[in-house]
Amino acid sequence: MTGQVRTVDGRVAGRRGQATRQKLLDCLSEMLSSSPYRDVKVIDVARRAGTSPATFYQYFPDVEGAVLEIAERMAAESAGLAGLLEGRSWAGRAGWQTAQELVDGFLEFWRKNDAILRVVDLGAAEGDKRFSKLRTKILNSVNSSLAGSVAELQSKGRIDKDVNPAAIAGALVAMLAAVASHQKAASSWGVKQAELKPSLALLVHLGVTGRKPTK
Amino acid sequence: MTGQVRTVDGRVAGRRGQATRQKLLDCLSEMLSSSPYRDVKVIDVARRAGTSPATFYQYFPDVEGAVLEIAERMAAESAGLAGLLEGRSWAGRAGWQTAQELVDGFLEFWRKNDAILRVVDLGAAEGDKRFSKLRTKILNSVNSSLAGSVAELQSKGRIDKDVNPAAIAGALVAMLAAVASHQKAASSWGVKQAELKPSLALLVHLGVTGRKPTK
DNA sequence: ACTTGTCCTGTCATGCCGTCAGCTTACCGA
DNA sequence: TCGGTAAGCTGACGGCATGACAGGACAAGT
């Protein structure tokens, strides 16, 4: 489907090569978690992987290229986020439950991949189309599902006809992403993790249904 | 008050020195707008300012240091954001107006300073305390004001007692910031600017008052 | 053992980093 | 007018990262 994995100079990578490549990606991931993106150097990644910079450049055009690779893999995993909303109801207590689980799942996913998501966010904000696309892809499963729910409730008159469901959904998802990527900061600023989640769930519920949840 | 401006090696900067310093800051700002943060090099900034790298290092320890300087200046300006909420009412039509103007002002501020805010966001997300503090400072004027409104309405029973006003406010502000920094991305993903603003205002109004706005 | 193709690294030219000594310029008091 | 002093700037340097290449090491098949 995706074709074989290839080196920069066109050769197809064999077993050993793929293992090395993967090791480089893993080490890059670790580096991204432990040091500022700006300071991640090819030579450090290579050293950590027990190989040389030249090897790195055989598999990736540059650091950004490797980051994209990691991000794409993660984007594939992100499809699982859609499961947080599939077949869920937004009515009554079930609605509150849905909102809570969405927030939980979302924050968890973000926490698990925070290092790489930071870089994707930055790239997207800087206007790089490849990162924007990736970010859209990651958020899209949740986003479109939420938009669908909003549209449905809109047709029942709960929400004004002139709001764009996709816009509401986009704003809510952006909120979740933003809060998730500043979780640590939030705590240092007077709000605890445990207090954050219910607030987010409340806002999601309000945004989707236009009503306060019944708990 | 803050003491004189000093060079890295301890000299006090005179008129000329301060001008050079400022020029370097201006050029750095431009570079941040036009190229990825990761690729901003001291030598490019210096060249653009018509000076040499050595001069840059006379005034700033490194690129990060200069960025902090720019960000601090902007943080001071951000105090003006508080004006968007001072003395405003959240009741009835005035409430809708308040929400709209908050969204407008916020997005405008962010658009004006997007390059530097991106870097601050990244630094904060990476856990750098200096950037976190700065980000908190920028958001705090709006944040605390919103939290106050929530708390007030909470005492009137509109909102559940067990939600933390600061958490709601923080989430809303984070939403605004996130959407603002991905404004371009949003349009490429099927939602137009003009449709985004009312949605954000709606969510802000819902979050603060717990009710749909009367338009 | 020989061939073939994959995989890795030594090495090199280039360019940026960050620092220093030392030069030039501006200001000031005598 | 003339040093003296401090501010302001830069050339130059060792060090390191980048990115390219050629060639050696290695595994697998014949």
Side-chain angles (χ1 to χ4, degrees):
Chain A
M1 210 38 85
T2 64
Q4 289 159 306
V5 178
R6 284 184 175 275
T7 59
V8 167
D9 55 339
R11 282 205 282 270
V12 294
R15 260 200 319 283
R16 193 145 88 101
Q18 295 205 19
T20 303
R21 202 180 124 100
Q22 189 54 48
K23 182 151 202 176
L24 284 167
L25 287 177
D26 292 344
C27 291
L28 174 55
S29 272
E30 291 171 30
M31 300 278 319
L32 285 175
S33 307
S34 63
S35 55
Y37 178 48
R38 197 167 197 283
D39 298 341
V40 170
K41 306 290 180 197
V42 169
I43 197 170
D44 296 322
V45 177
R47 262 204 282 263
R48 183 184 277 241
T51 177
S52 75
T55 300
F56 182 95
Y57 286 107
Q58 199 156 49
Y59 293 108
F60 310 103
D62 49 24
V63 173
E64 209 186 39
V67 166
L68 274 168
E69 178 89 18
I70 298 176
E72 256 151 30
R73 196 156 306 190
M74 187 206 51
E77 278 178 44
S78 79
L81 285 176
L84 293 169
L85 285 171
E86 228 157 57
R88 301 297 171 101
S89 155
W90 286 99
R93 285 177 199 221
W96 178 236
Q97 183 85 0
T98 301
Q100 280 181 306
E101 282 169 11
L102 172 61
V103 170
D104 262 359
F106 202 95
L107 291 192
E108 175 61 18
F109 176 79
W110 219 265
R111 208 167 43 70
K112 221 178 231 158
N113 304 97
D114 67 335
I116 190 72
L117 283 165
R118 263 192 319 255
V119 180
V120 172
D121 250 27
L122 176 67
E126 278 174 344
D128 187 311
K129 294 247 167 79
R130 296 167 302 173
F131 285 108
S132 299
K133 257 192 167 163
L134 221 36
R135 188 171 183 272
T136 306
K137 185 177 173 186
I138 293 166
L139 300 182
N140 204 50
S141 52
V142 175
N143 197 37
S144 62
S145 182
L146 268 186
S149 302
V150 173
E152 196 187 323
L153 291 168
Q154 198 177 36
S155 71
K156 293 185 188 164
R158 284 261 191 98
I159 302 179
D160 286 350
K161 305 282 183 197
D162 59 344
V163 270
N164 184 335
I168 289 269
L172 287 174
V173 170
M175 174 185 74
L176 290 176
V179 171
S181 69
H182 291 105
Q183 283 178 84
K184 288 165 204 160
S187 66
S188 84
W189 130 62
V191 178
K192 302 216 171 109
Q193 261 279 351
E195 299 173 316
L196 211 46
K197 282 185 182 177
S199 302
L200 289 172
L202 171 61
L203 285 170
V204 168
H205 193 278
L206 278 169
V208 173
T209 68
R211 296 198 182 179
K212 283 183 281 186
T214 55
K215 299 181 185 177
Chain B
M1 221 26 92
T2 63
Q4 291 158 307
V5 178
R6 284 185 175 275
T7 59
V8 167
D9 56 339
R11 285 203 281 266
V12 295
R15 261 201 316 285
R16 191 145 87 103
Q18 295 204 19
T20 304
R21 204 181 122 99
Q22 189 54 50
K23 180 151 203 175
L24 284 168
L25 287 177
D26 292 344
C27 291
L28 175 55
S29 273
E30 293 171 28
M31 300 277 318
L32 286 176
S33 306
S34 63
S35 54
Y37 179 48
R38 198 168 197 282
D39 297 341
V40 171
K41 308 289 179 198
V42 169
I43 197 169
D44 297 322
V45 177
R47 263 204 283 262
R48 184 184 277 241
T51 179
S52 75
T55 300
F56 182 95
Y57 287 106
Q58 199 155 50
Y59 294 108
F60 310 103
D62 49 24
V63 173
E64 208 185 40
V67 166
L68 274 167
E69 179 88 18
I70 298 175
E72 253 151 33
R73 197 156 306 191
M74 186 208 52
E77 280 178 44
S78 78
L81 286 176
L84 293 168
L85 286 171
E86 228 157 58
R88 304 296 173 100
S89 157
W90 286 100
R93 283 177 201 220
W96 178 235
Q97 183 86 0
T98 301
Q100 279 180 307
E101 282 169 14
L102 172 61
V103 169
D104 262 359
F106 202 96
L107 291 192
E108 175 62 18
F109 177 79
W110 220 264
R111 210 167 42 70
K112 221 179 231 158
N113 304 97
D114 66 337
I116 189 72
L117 283 166
R118 267 196 311 260
V119 180
V120 173
D121 250 28
L122 176 67
E126 277 174 344
D128 187 311
K129 293 250 167 76
R130 295 167 303 172
F131 285 108
S132 299
K133 256 192 166 165
L134 222 36
R135 187 171 185 272
T136 305
K137 185 177 173 186
I138 294 166
L139 300 182
N140 203 49
S141 52
V142 174
N143 197 36
S144 63
S145 183
L146 270 185
S149 303
V150 173
E152 196 187 321
L153 290 169
Q154 196 177 38
S155 71
K156 293 184 189 165
R158 282 263 191 95
I159 301 178
D160 285 350
K161 305 282 183 197
D162 58 344
V163 271
N164 183 336
I168 289 269
L172 287 174
V173 169
M175 173 184 74
L176 290 176
V179 171
S181 69
H182 291 106
Q183 282 178 83
K184 289 166 202 158
S187 67
S188 83
W189 131 58
V191 177
K192 299 212 173 116
Q193 263 277 350
E195 299 173 316
L196 210 47
K197 282 186 183 178
S199 302
L200 289 172
L202 172 61
L203 284 170
V204 168
H205 193 279
L206 278 170
V208 173
T209 69
R211 294 198 185 179
K212 283 183 278 185
T214 56
K215 299 184 185 176

